[in-house]
Amino acid sequence: MGVVAVEDVLFPGIDVRVVAVRVTVERIAVEASSCGRPPPCPDCSCPGRRVHSRYVRRIIERPAVGRPLVVSLSVRRFFCERASCRRRTFVEQVADLSERYRRHSVGLRRWMEAIATFLGGRPGERLCQNLQLPVGRTHLLGLLTEPPVPERAPRVLGVDEFAFRKRWRYGTVLVDIEAARVVDVLPDRDAATFAAWLREHPGTEIICRDRASAYSSAVREAAPGAQEIADRWHLLHNLSSAVEKTCHQHRSCLRKQAEADNNARPRRIINPLPPPALPPTKFAVRTIDRYSDIHRLLGQRHSISEIARRLHLDRKTVRHFRDTGLDELLASARRGRPKGVLEPYTAYLTERFTDGVTSPTDLFREIRERGYPGSDLPVRRYVAGLKAGTIEPARGAIPSSRKITTWIMLPRNTLKPAEDDQLLAARLACPDIARACDLARAFHDLLQHRRGHQLLSWVREVERDAPGPILSFAQSLCLDLDAVTAGLTLPWSSGIVEGNVNRIKAIKRAMYGRASFRLLRTRILLRA
């Protein structure tokens, strides 16, 4: 094997000659001199021929073998021989090693820029300390410079909002959909700001957005020729919300059907439930006291506002106690059914308790075999409440509105047989839920197969006999008909924009609030 020169190990591909290397416990000191071709003048590009002088620069390089590396680099100063040039002398720079006015090498500066971009100030400073790099957070952040924004906007532009502080202050991110990178970040989500950006950066042909009206008005004002596309995920999300509202409005239908099925099932009652009695709980006692106080003051002809002030209650609470009977209020007190992991199993526990299985241990074993993940303590409390009459027995178990919505919005072939049966039972129990299911699946087919030309037919079908929430959703589509039709027809969407919004959230949570918007924008653009 041949002998490897020190220069090839420490400075591969760099025109320097190592004169000496001194290794100590604290650091590695290298003496080197430049040996490349004479550089041209930085002002007039006249090649340097005559050496004016030499001097030594101290440059900090990337660590080697776990120790800081300091280079004492001897460089040459040349005369500029062109008479018309104002510069008389200039100093050579060693490519990939030294730069003007910098004490860090080119490679080390790139390291620090990457650290500052991905970690920021204080976390980057801590990493640099572990890497034996003598640099502070202020210097790290000073290395970040805003990349230039292209003069022309991308052909396919995605726009979406992100929160500086949720429900308080928002910004706007602009993404090149075709290149999948962030183009610019705006400090707010106002229509005027986005419209001004579109006027300063022409060239957009397609704009993907959510259903926010501010962005739509900005596009109509500043880029009327651009094709707007409503994002398909937001359309499905809005439809899902409408379906869930429909299911929630008709839970009484599901409850009646479940109770009818429960009563029709033959059951052998060994140990019947005790008659309902007043639950000896603090909540029930408080309910009676509050009911008495409110009605006493009502009898004295006090107003609802005055009663609320005297009893330190909300006026809606006073009105509720005025309009609701005591028996109904106490019945609500008895509905102290457990929440959480035991909730799906309360109907089964009530049925088995009515059949005569009153041992909490036996009931715990049975529901654990059916997938109950919790401990036996909630089961014991629930059974004790059934025995004492302080808990209203769980009526026929019905799926939640969100679960029914999930079954409706998922593709039909992905449902399990049990889920398919439960969805069928919900459809049979309530015609409005069945109608919402049919319309939601029809809209999903339009979206999945890009049949935007059939949207108006779907809207007319909704207007004929759809439930209220579905009708409101269809009417909102008509207000943004062109963008929705394009979203159901063209392949573009805001999926890439949403991915960049998630990346922005991670950057913001790590540093925003302790730094300015300018620094946040710089880090976002550098990581694009």
Side-chain angles (χ1 to χ4, degrees):
M1 294 180 60
V3 179
V4 179
V6 178
E7 292 85 352
D8 296 334
V9 176
L10 296 178
F11 311 106
I14 299 177
D15 295 328
V16 295
R17 179 171 55 86
V18 175
V19 178
V21 178
R22 296 181 179 88
V23 181
T24 63
V25 178
E26 293 80 12
R27 64 180 182 177
I28 300 175
V30 177
E31 295 181 7
S33 61
S34 61
C35 58
R37 299 181 59 184
C41 174
D43 286 354
C44 64
S45 301
C46 177
R49 295 186 179 88
R50 288 193 302 151
V51 176
H52 175 276
S53 60
R54 282 183 175 269
Y55 77 97
V56 177
R57 297 182 58 183
R58 189 173 181 271
I59 299 175
I60 302 175
E61 245 290 14
R62 289 162 289 186
V65 294
R67 297 171 185 170
L69 176 58
V70 179
V71 181
S72 297
L73 181 63
S74 175
V75 293
R76 297 168 291 183
R77 181 182 293 274
F78 290 88
F79 284 104
C80 181
E81 298 180 344
R82 180 167 292 176
S84 59
C85 182
R86 297 179 58 185
R87 185 183 295 272
R88 296 292 89 195
T89 62
F90 59 90
V91 178
E92 67 176 338
Q93 303 296 332
V94 179
D96 298 328
L97 180 61
S98 66
E99 293 178 303
R100 294 183 68 187
Y101 308 123
R102 294 190 184 273
R103 296 185 178 182
H104 298 95
S105 68
V106 175
L108 180 56
R109 181 179 57 80
R110 291 172 182 166
W111 274 23
M112 293 188 297
E113 286 179 354
I115 291 172
T117 300
F118 287 92
L119 295 181
R122 288 184 177 89
E125 181 181 7
R126 291 193 292 269
L127 177 60
C128 288
Q129 290 174 357
N130 291 333
L131 295 177
Q132 303 295 325
L133 300 179
V135 62
R137 61 185 178 89
T138 304
H139 183 79
L140 282 175
L141 297 179
L143 294 174
L144 299 180
T145 56
E146 299 180 8
V149 178
E151 295 183 359
R152 294 187 61 83
R155 188 180 73 89
V156 184
L157 178 68
V159 56
D160 200 1
E161 63 184 23
F162 67 94
F164 294 112
R165 182 180 175 188
K166 197 171 184 180
R167 302 185 185 92
W168 185 259
R169 182 166 170 251
Y170 290 81
T172 299
V173 58
L174 307 176
V175 180
D176 185 347
I177 299 294
E178 293 178 305
R181 63 180 183 85
V182 177
V183 176
D184 204 352
V185 181
L186 306 181
D188 53 50
R189 57 176 179 180
D190 295 340
T193 305
F194 183 41
W197 191 94
L198 289 175
R199 282 190 289 266
E200 294 173 1
H201 303 82
T204 299
E205 300 177 7
I206 299 173
I207 297 179
C208 301
R209 57 169 176 81
D210 58 13
R211 304 190 63 199
S213 58
Y215 297 140
S216 178
S217 61
V219 172
R220 289 194 297 269
E221 176 186 350
Q227 172 69 64
E228 297 182 62
I229 296 182
D231 183 52
R232 292 187 288 275
W233 182 89
H234 288 89
L235 294 174
L236 284 181
H237 179 70
N238 295 338
L239 175 61
S240 176
S241 299
V243 172
E244 186 173 351
K245 288 180 183 178
T246 303
C247 296
H248 183 74
Q249 290 176 357
H250 295 277
R251 284 187 66 80
S252 58
C253 301
L254 304 178
R255 179 66 68 187
K256 289 179 182 178
Q257 183 65 35
E259 290 178 351
D261 295 342
N262 231 21
N263 295 332
R265 186 182 306 164
R267 181 175 299 154
R268 180 171 58 92
I269 301 178
I270 298 176
N271 186 13
L273 289 172
L278 179 65
T281 61
K282 294 181 180 180
F283 181 70
V285 174
R286 187 184 67 182
T287 301
I288 294 176
D289 294 341
R290 184 173 291 174
Y291 182 86
S292 302
D293 293 340
I294 290 175
H295 279 268
R296 175 174 54 80
L297 294 174
L298 286 171
Q300 298 174 5
R301 298 186 179 278
H302 291 291
S303 65
I304 289 180
S305 299
E306 187 175 355
I307 295 173
R309 283 195 300 270
R310 287 193 177 193
L311 300 181
H312 305 288
L313 298 174
D314 190 89
R315 288 183 299 174
K316 290 182 288 186
T317 303
V318 176
R319 194 176 292 111
H320 175 65
F321 271 76
R322 182 197 65 180
D323 300 337
T324 308
L326 180 59
D327 294 337
E328 186 174 348
L329 293 172
L330 292 177
S332 299
R334 293 192 191 97
R335 298 192 187 107
R337 295 176 58 192
K339 303 297 182 182
V341 293
L342 187 61
E343 176 72 18
Y345 304 92
T346 52
Y348 177 81
L349 290 175
T350 303
E351 181 178 353
R352 294 294 291 153
F353 184 87
T354 307
D355 289 341
V357 183
T358 59
S359 170
T361 303
D362 295 339
L363 292 172
F364 172 67
R365 290 197 190 101
E366 292 183 12
I367 64 173
R368 187 172 60 180
E369 293 174 356
R370 285 163 173 77
Y372 171 65
S375 65
D376 63 336
L377 184 59
V379 180
R380 293 183 181 278
R381 289 176 178 171
Y382 186 75
V383 174
L386 290 176
K387 290 179 179 179
T390 59
I391 291 181
E392 183 182 7
R395 295 171 288 182
I398 61 174
S400 65
S401 302
R402 180 166 295 183
K403 186 167 290 187
I404 297 175
T405 304
T406 302
W407 296 337
I408 292 174
M409 299 304 295
L410 285 175
R412 304 175 193 180
N413 56 355
T414 61
L415 295 180
K416 299 178 182 178
E419 296 173 341
D420 206 2
D421 294 341
Q422 287 183 286
L423 178 58
L424 178 61
R427 288 169 57 94
L428 294 175
C430 180
D432 282 348
I433 293 180
R435 184 59 176 160
C437 177
D438 294 336
L439 292 172
R441 286 180 167 174
F443 185 86
H444 192 276
D445 289 340
L446 295 183
L447 184 146
Q448 186 177 13
H449 299 96
R450 303 289 190 273
R451 296 172 182 166
H453 61 281
Q454 299 179 2
L455 178 60
L456 286 178
S457 300
W458 183 85
V459 171
R460 285 192 289 269
E461 186 74 15
V462 169
E463 291 174 345
R464 189 159 44 242
D465 58 352
I470 305 295
L471 179 60
S472 299
F473 168 73
Q475 291 172 346
S476 69
L477 296 185
C478 294
L479 299 177
D480 198 16
L481 187 61
D482 292 340
V484 174
T485 304
L488 298 180
T489 306
L490 301 177
W492 306 106
S493 73
S494 299
I496 295 174
V497 184
E498 297 294 339
N500 282 281
V501 169
N502 288 335
R503 190 177 299 113
I504 290 172
K505 289 178 181 178
I507 300 174
K508 179 206 66 174
R509 288 168 183 164
M511 52 79 65
Y512 190 74
R514 297 185 299 271
S516 63
F517 168 75
R518 184 193 65 82
L519 178 59
L520 176 63
R521 176 177 177 272
T522 300
R523 289 190 62 192
I524 293 172
L525 295 180
L526 288 175
R527 292 187 60 175

Short mmCIF file of all heavy atoms in Angstrom, two decimals, residues 92-111:
data_model
loop_
_atom_site.label_atom_id
_atom_site.label_comp_id
_atom_site.label_asym_id
_atom_site.label_seq_id
_atom_site.Cartn_x
_atom_site.Cartn_y
_atom_site.Cartn_z
N GLU A 92 -5.82 35.96 -1.85
CA GLU A 92 -6.38 34.75 -2.41
C GLU A 92 -7.25 34.03 -1.37
O GLU A 92 -7.00 34.12 -0.16
CB GLU A 92 -5.26 33.81 -2.87
CG GLU A 92 -4.42 33.26 -1.74
CD GLU A 92 -3.38 32.26 -2.21
OE1 GLU A 92 -3.59 31.69 -3.30
OE2 GLU A 92 -2.38 32.05 -1.49
N GLN A 93 -8.28 33.35 -1.86
CA GLN A 93 -9.11 32.49 -1.03
C GLN A 93 -8.95 31.05 -1.51
O GLN A 93 -9.00 30.77 -2.71
CB GLN A 93 -10.59 32.90 -1.12
CG GLN A 93 -10.87 34.34 -0.73
CD GLN A 93 -10.55 34.62 0.72
OE1 GLN A 93 -10.61 33.72 1.57
NE2 GLN A 93 -10.19 35.87 1.03
N VAL A 94 -8.75 30.14 -0.55
CA VAL A 94 -8.59 28.73 -0.88
C VAL A 94 -9.97 28.12 -1.03
O VAL A 94 -10.78 28.14 -0.09
CB VAL A 94 -7.79 28.00 0.21
CG1 VAL A 94 -7.64 26.53 -0.14
CG2 VAL A 94 -6.43 28.66 0.38
N ALA A 95 -10.25 27.61 -2.21
CA ALA A 95 -11.58 27.04 -2.48
C ALA A 95 -11.89 25.92 -1.50
O ALA A 95 -11.04 25.09 -1.18
CB ALA A 95 -11.64 26.53 -3.92
N ASP A 96 -13.16 25.90 -1.02
CA ASP A 96 -13.67 24.89 -0.08
C ASP A 96 -12.99 24.92 1.28
O ASP A 96 -13.15 23.99 2.08
CB ASP A 96 -13.56 23.47 -0.66
CG ASP A 96 -14.38 23.30 -1.92
OD1 ASP A 96 -15.45 23.94 -2.01
OD2 ASP A 96 -13.97 22.54 -2.80
N LEU A 97 -12.22 26.00 1.56
CA LEU A 97 -11.59 26.08 2.88
C LEU A 97 -11.80 27.46 3.51
O LEU A 97 -12.25 27.55 4.65
CB LEU A 97 -10.09 25.78 2.78
CG LEU A 97 -9.32 25.83 4.12
CD1 LEU A 97 -9.89 24.80 5.09
CD2 LEU A 97 -7.83 25.60 3.90
N SER A 98 -11.49 28.53 2.81
CA SER A 98 -11.54 29.86 3.41
C SER A 98 -12.47 30.77 2.63
O SER A 98 -12.71 30.58 1.43
CB SER A 98 -10.14 30.48 3.47
OG SER A 98 -9.65 30.73 2.16
N GLU A 99 -13.02 31.78 3.33
CA GLU A 99 -13.86 32.80 2.74
C GLU A 99 -13.47 34.15 3.33
O GLU A 99 -12.89 34.23 4.41
CB GLU A 99 -15.34 32.53 3.02
CG GLU A 99 -15.89 31.29 2.35
CD GLU A 99 -17.35 31.05 2.71
OE1 GLU A 99 -17.64 30.94 3.92
OE2 GLU A 99 -18.19 30.99 1.79
N ARG A 100 -13.82 35.22 2.65
CA ARG A 100 -13.50 36.56 3.15
C ARG A 100 -14.24 36.84 4.44
O ARG A 100 -15.42 36.53 4.59
CB ARG A 100 -13.88 37.60 2.11
CG ARG A 100 -13.07 37.54 0.82
CD ARG A 100 -13.48 38.67 -0.10
NE ARG A 100 -13.08 39.97 0.45
CZ ARG A 100 -13.45 41.13 -0.08
NH1 ARG A 100 -14.24 41.14 -1.17
NH2 ARG A 100 -13.04 42.26 0.44
N TYR A 101 -13.51 37.42 5.40
CA TYR A 101 -14.05 37.91 6.66
C TYR A 101 -14.62 36.79 7.55
O TYR A 101 -15.35 37.09 8.49
CB TYR A 101 -15.16 38.96 6.43
CG TYR A 101 -14.75 40.07 5.51
CD1 TYR A 101 -15.48 40.35 4.36
CD2 TYR A 101 -13.62 40.84 5.78
CE1 TYR A 101 -15.12 41.38 3.52
CE2 TYR A 101 -13.24 41.88 4.93
CZ TYR A 101 -13.99 42.13 3.79
OH TYR A 101 -13.63 43.14 2.96
N ARG A 102 -14.30 35.54 7.28
CA ARG A 102 -14.82 34.45 8.09
C ARG A 102 -13.67 33.70 8.76
O ARG A 102 -12.66 33.42 8.12
CB ARG A 102 -15.65 33.48 7.25
CG ARG A 102 -16.93 34.08 6.71
CD ARG A 102 -17.81 33.01 6.09
NE ARG A 102 -19.01 33.57 5.48
CZ ARG A 102 -20.14 33.81 6.14
NH1 ARG A 102 -20.22 33.52 7.43
NH2 ARG A 102 -21.19 34.32 5.52
N ARG A 103 -13.90 33.35 10.01
CA ARG A 103 -12.93 32.57 10.76
C ARG A 103 -13.27 31.08 10.79
O ARG A 103 -12.54 30.30 11.38
CB ARG A 103 -12.83 33.09 12.19
CG ARG A 103 -12.30 34.52 12.28
CD ARG A 103 -12.10 34.93 13.71
NE ARG A 103 -11.57 36.28 13.81
CZ ARG A 103 -11.27 36.88 14.96
NH1 ARG A 103 -11.48 36.23 16.11
NH2 ARG A 103 -10.79 38.11 14.98
N HIS A 104 -14.40 30.72 10.19
CA HIS A 104 -14.76 29.31 10.09
C HIS A 104 -14.55 28.85 8.65
O HIS A 104 -14.74 29.63 7.71
CB HIS A 104 -16.21 29.08 10.50
CG HIS A 104 -16.50 29.45 11.93
ND1 HIS A 104 -17.00 30.67 12.29
CD2 HIS A 104 -16.33 28.75 13.09
CE1 HIS A 104 -17.16 30.71 13.61
NE2 HIS A 104 -16.76 29.56 14.11
N SER A 105 -14.20 27.60 8.50
CA SER A 105 -13.99 27.06 7.16
C SER A 105 -15.33 26.92 6.44
O SER A 105 -16.40 26.99 7.04
CB SER A 105 -13.29 25.70 7.24
OG SER A 105 -14.16 24.74 7.83
N VAL A 106 -15.25 26.69 5.14
CA VAL A 106 -16.47 26.54 4.34
C VAL A 106 -17.26 25.32 4.80
O VAL A 106 -18.49 25.37 4.95
CB VAL A 106 -16.10 26.43 2.85
CG1 VAL A 106 -17.34 26.14 2.01
CG2 VAL A 106 -15.42 27.71 2.37
N GLY A 107 -16.58 24.23 5.03
CA GLY A 107 -17.26 23.01 5.47
C GLY A 107 -17.91 23.17 6.83
O GLY A 107 -19.04 22.72 7.05
N LEU A 108 -17.23 23.85 7.76
CA LEU A 108 -17.80 24.07 9.09
C LEU A 108 -19.00 25.00 9.01
O LEU A 108 -20.00 24.81 9.73
CB LEU A 108 -16.74 24.64 10.02
CG LEU A 108 -17.17 24.93 11.45
CD1 LEU A 108 -17.75 23.68 12.10
CD2 LEU A 108 -16.02 25.48 12.26
N ARG A 109 -18.92 26.01 8.14
CA ARG A 109 -20.07 26.91 8.01
C ARG A 109 -21.28 26.16 7.48
O ARG A 109 -22.42 26.40 7.93
CB ARG A 109 -19.71 28.07 7.07
CG ARG A 109 -20.84 29.07 6.88
CD ARG A 109 -20.42 30.20 5.98
NE ARG A 109 -19.97 29.73 4.68
CZ ARG A 109 -20.78 29.39 3.67
NH1 ARG A 109 -22.09 29.45 3.83
NH2 ARG A 109 -20.28 28.99 2.53
N ARG A 110 -21.07 25.24 6.55
CA ARG A 110 -22.20 24.45 6.05
C ARG A 110 -22.80 23.59 7.15
O ARG A 110 -24.01 23.42 7.25
CB ARG A 110 -21.74 23.59 4.88
CG ARG A 110 -21.40 24.39 3.63
CD ARG A 110 -20.76 23.51 2.58
NE ARG A 110 -20.38 24.27 1.38
CZ ARG A 110 -19.58 23.82 0.43
NH1 ARG A 110 -19.05 22.59 0.53
NH2 ARG A 110 -19.28 24.57 -0.61
N TRP A 111 -21.95 23.04 7.99
CA TRP A 111 -22.45 22.28 9.14
C TRP A 111 -23.33 23.16 10.02
O TRP A 111 -24.45 22.76 10.40
CB TRP A 111 -21.27 21.75 9.97
CG TRP A 111 -20.71 20.45 9.50
CD1 TRP A 111 -20.80 19.90 8.27
CD2 TRP A 111 -19.96 19.53 10.30
NE1 TRP A 111 -20.14 18.70 8.22
CE2 TRP A 111 -19.62 18.45 9.47
CE3 TRP A 111 -19.53 19.53 11.62
CZ2 TRP A 111 -18.87 17.36 9.92
CZ3 TRP A 111 -18.79 18.44 12.08
CH2 TRP A 111 -18.47 17.37 11.24
#
